[in-house]
Every structure is written in C-alpha cells, then in structure tokens.
C-alpha cells in the first residue's frame, strides 16, 4: 500500500514537473524538435529606394546573380564544415570586389572626392571583434577587420594606422584609384553642384554589404563592409564598423548586420538592441528585429534594415525602405535571393 502511494506521488510529480518545463520552455524548441538547421547563411547588399521602376531587367539580373554568387560562396564554407567567420568573409569578399555594391571597389565618394571604407566582423563564441574605419588602400577591408580581431590587442583601428596594420598583416594593398567607378564619380560630381545633405534617402541604392552565419558547431558571426554614405563629411565613420550598432554577434542570442542611415543606427545601438531584447526581454528574433527596425527606427524616419540569424537558426530580414538586396540559405534548402519589399 505504502509503495502504491509513493508511486502515485511520483507520477503526479512527473506530470507537474514536465508541465512546468514545457510551459516555461526550459528546453530550447530546436532541441525538443531536433530542428536547428546544420547551418544558415544570410547576406545583404544594402537597403534604399530600390523599386522596379528605377531598375532595368538587366541591372536587376546582375544584382540577383551577384547576390547568389556571394551567398553560395559563404554557404560552401559552411557546408564543408568551415566556421561562420570564414563564411561571412567569403561572401563579403565577393561583394567588396563587385562594383555594383558600395563596398571595396565601387564605394561612394565623400565630399572631398575621397573613398573611405569602414568594415567590422564579430564572432558570437567569445565575443571577439575587429573593425577598421576610414581606409582606402586595403583591397578587402573585411580582411583588415578580421586581422584586427585575430590580433586581439585592439578592436577598432582607423586611417593610416589601420592601413599600416593591414600591410604588416600581409593583406593586399592597392592604390585608392583601384576603387574608382565612373558611376560613383559621376554621382560625386553631381553632388558637388547640388550640395545635398548626406541623408540616407538621397542614395537611391546604398549598397553596403553584410553577412551573418550560423555554422555546424552552433557558432554565430556577423560582418559588414561599406564605403559609408555618399557625400559624407571628411572624417565621418558610420555604424557599420561600430560594434553593437551596425555589426554584432553573440552565441546566446543572434548575429546582426545592418544597413541604413548610420547616425541613427549608432545612436540607437541597433544591432545590440536586437540581441538585448532577445536576451533580456525573451523576445523572438522576429519580434526583436521588427520592433527595432519597423517601429523604433521607422518612427525616427531612419531608413534602413538588418539581416540576422539567431542561435536556433531562425532568420530575420526586416527593412523599412522600398527594398533591400538580400539572400539566405539554410542547410538542405534552396538558396533564395530577394530585392523588393513585396517578394
Ligand atoms: N550604414 C552605412 C553608413 O551609415 C550606410 C549604408 O548602410 O548604406 O555608413
């Protein structure tokens, strides 16, 4: 009889305990369902006034092809068991080489007719990060950011110091003319006449590039590379290389890369805000990123968007502009590239 009573209590305890466990989600959903994808890769090529009416079919096709190539390059690293950091770098290098985008070759000019690249990378495992700002002789600024991160002494190097550090690290150095494109130079010359404020909507297509990834080991990484805002002041650094603003990764929450009007993204610590809402307020990646981009930034008239992947492999890509060049792929699924808001 005594044994029967003990057994009865044991059963009741088990039922109550398992009820508490599932209602408070102590076990991550993906662990319960075995659903976390083996890897995830997401990229962006900038947000802005990207509409079908200001695009030709040929230009649209070249953007889609370029995005797909960059996405697949990152995915290949992950598929082969490489790290999220290497995947982010593989995608961004291709976008930096591509004159369609405002990063590396094809970057915009500042008000003095100079190019000034910014880039950052961050790993979610131990929170290592590296960034460079105001450089125009490093062929791949994202590699310089990575070298700063791996060196570990500092997080953020700018100008001449960043360039000589990159050279000492064995990175490819080029003359500033290497980054020239007629398209951006014409835009600069036009702005010399019209003297526009360097406001985000002025840029029809911003072209900043970024990537976030989750690798097979569950490590997150984020990277962003840009020429910054067209006709920016000399000495201006945007949000892209500012850790927590334009770039952030933490294995406990998510990896984020942003594009948009940098001053707002810095003031609102956008990338970290998304991660913090997940970590401290228990928000999902979707809710956290939409609250920040579609509600908070939109209410400030701050144009832009973000790409993000969380520790469970969920993806979010909200933007409050007409379009954002973007693409994503999860292990075992088809790679997808999109441009406009309605696709
Ligand atoms: N966020 C970049 C900056 O402010 C620009 C962009 O994303 O287009 O420098």
């Amino acid at each position: 009889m005594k044994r029967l009573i003990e057994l009865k209590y044991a059963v009741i305890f088990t039922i109550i305990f398992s009820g508490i466990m599932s209602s408070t989600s102590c076990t991550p959903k993906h662990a319960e369902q075995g659903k976390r994808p083996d890897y995830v890769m997401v990229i962006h090529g900038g947000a802005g006034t990207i509409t079908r009416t200001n695009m030709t079919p040929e230009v649209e096709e070249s953007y889609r092809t370029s995005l797909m190539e960059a996405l697949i390059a990152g995915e290949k690293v992950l598929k082969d068991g490489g790290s999220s950091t290497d995947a982010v770098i593989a995608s961004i290098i291709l976008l930096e080489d591509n004159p369609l985008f405002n990063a590396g070759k094809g970057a915009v000019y500042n008000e003095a007719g100079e190019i000034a690249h910014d880039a950052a990378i961050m790993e979610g495992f131990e929170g290592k990060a590296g960034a460079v700002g105001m450089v125009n002789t490093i062929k791949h600024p994202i590699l310089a950011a990575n070298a700063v991160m791996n060196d570990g002494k500092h997080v953020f190097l700018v100008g001449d110091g960043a360039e000589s550090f990159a050279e000492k690290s064995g990175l490819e150095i080029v003359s500033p003319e290497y980054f020239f494109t007629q398209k951006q130079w014409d835009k600069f010359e036009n702005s010399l006449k019209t003297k526009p404020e360097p406001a985000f909507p002025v840029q029809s297509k911003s072209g900043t590039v970024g990537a976030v990834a989750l690798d097979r080991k569950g490590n997150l990484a984020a990277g962003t590379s840009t020429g910054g805002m067209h006709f920016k002041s000399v000495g201006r650094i945007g949000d892209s290389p500012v850790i927590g603003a334009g770039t952030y990764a933490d294995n406990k929450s998510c990896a984020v890369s942003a594009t948009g009007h940098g001053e707002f993204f810095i003031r609102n610590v956008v990338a970290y805000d998304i991660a913090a809402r997940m970590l401290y307020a228990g928000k999902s990646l979707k809710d956290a990123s939409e609250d920040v981009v579609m509600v908070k930034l939109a209410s400030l008239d701050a144009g832009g968007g973000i790409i993000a992947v969380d520790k469970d492999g969920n993806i979010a890509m909200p933007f409050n502009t007409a379009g954002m060049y973007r693409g994503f792929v999860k292990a075992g699924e088809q790679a997808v590239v999109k441009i406009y808001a309605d696709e």
Side-chain angles (χ1 to χ4, degrees):
M1 184 65 189
K2 193 169 163 241
R3 218 181 121 56
L4 206 66
I5 290 168
E6 272 171 7
L7 200 68
K8 196 171 129 199
Y9 281 120
V11 169
I12 290 169
F13 177 77
T14 308
I15 290 168
I16 292 172
F17 186 68
S18 61
I20 290 168
M21 286 296 278
S22 61
S23 69
T24 54
S25 298
C26 286
T27 313
K29 262 215 154 73
H30 73 263
E32 277 173 7
Q33 301 161 356
K35 268 199 180 147
R36 190 184 85 186
D38 276 352
Y39 61 78
V40 180
M41 186 79 220
V42 192
I43 63 166
H44 74 79
T49 320
I50 309 164
T51 60
R52 287 187 178 82
T53 44
N54 56 26
M55 185 83 91
T56 65
E58 295 74 34
V59 174
E60 180 177 321
E61 196 42 46
S62 45
Y63 272 105
R64 289 191 193 275
T65 308
S66 305
L67 287 168
M68 190 55 91
E69 279 169 10
L71 184 61
I72 298 302
E75 187 197 12
K76 183 172 183 330
V77 173
L78 298 172
K79 202 185 261 177
D80 294 347
S83 71
S84 49
T85 308
D86 288 345
V88 161
I89 290 172
S91 288
I92 291 182
I93 280 181
L94 285 190
L95 296 168
E96 287 181 336
D97 285 343
N98 190 325
L100 282 177
F101 299 95
N102 171 22
K105 189 169 177 61
V108 298
Y109 289 92
N110 67 13
E111 61 180 6
E114 298 157 348
I115 278 172
H117 296 115
D118 300 334
I121 193 156
M122 184 162 188
E123 292 183 344
F125 176 51
E126 289 177 315
K128 290 199 298 182
V132 293
M134 290 196 304
V135 294
N136 64 10
T137 62
I138 304 167
K139 188 174 181 193
H140 295 113
I142 194 68
L143 288 180
N146 188 50
V148 173
M149 175 172 78
N150 288 334
D151 180 62
K153 185 174 172 198
H154 301 297
V155 169
F156 200 171
L157 297 179
V158 302
D160 294 348
E163 289 174 344
S164 56
F165 173 82
E167 193 169 1
K168 274 188 227 136
S169 305
L171 300 184
E172 192 172 350
I173 302 297
V174 293
S175 94
E177 286 73 52
Y178 162 81
F179 302 106
F180 171 90
T181 54
Q182 194 63 48
K183 182 182 82 176
Q184 296 296 0
W185 187 253
D186 290 348
K187 248 173 88 183
F188 163 68
E189 290 207 308
N190 188 47
S191 293
L192 269 185
K193 289 179 216 136
T194 56
K195 295 254 183 276
E197 281 297 303
F200 189 70
V202 171
Q203 305 169 292
S204 55
K205 297 156 196 168
S206 77
T208 288
V209 307
V212 295
L214 172 72
D215 63 28
R216 290 181 187 275
K217 290 187 176 155
N219 288 322
L220 293 168
T224 314
S225 182
T226 187
M229 292 199 5
H230 168 70
F231 217 58
K232 63 189 177 183
S233 302
V234 173
R236 182 262 189 189
I237 292 180
D239 61 308
S240 311
V242 177
I243 298 303
T247 307
Y248 190 71
D250 176 7
N251 275 5
K252 291 195 284 302
S253 51
C254 61
V256 181
S257 169
T259 173
H261 194 154
E263 281 65 20
F264 289 92
F265 282 65
I266 294 173
R267 287 185 205 114
N268 291 281
V269 205
V270 164
Y272 181 71
D273 192 7
I274 294 169
R277 284 169 193 245
M278 291 183 72
L279 204 56
Y280 305 131
K283 296 260 183 178
S284 66
L285 177 69
K286 183 176 185 298
D287 288 350
S289 58
E290 285 181 3
D291 285 352
V292 171
V293 176
M294 310 307 277
V295 181
K296 194 176 180 191
L297 289 176
S299 74
L300 298 167
D301 251 347
I306 65 102
I307 55 165
V309 56
D310 73 15
K311 61 184 174 42
D312 300 325
N314 299 301
I315 291 172
M317 305 182 294
F319 53 96
N320 58 32
T321 49
M324 182 167 82
Y325 299 111
R326 60 203 190 279
F328 60 92
V329 62
K330 291 186 179 189
E333 292 180 19
Q334 204 65 34
V336 178
V337 159
K338 295 183 179 192
I339 297 178
Y340 309 108
D342 60 5
E343 57 175 326

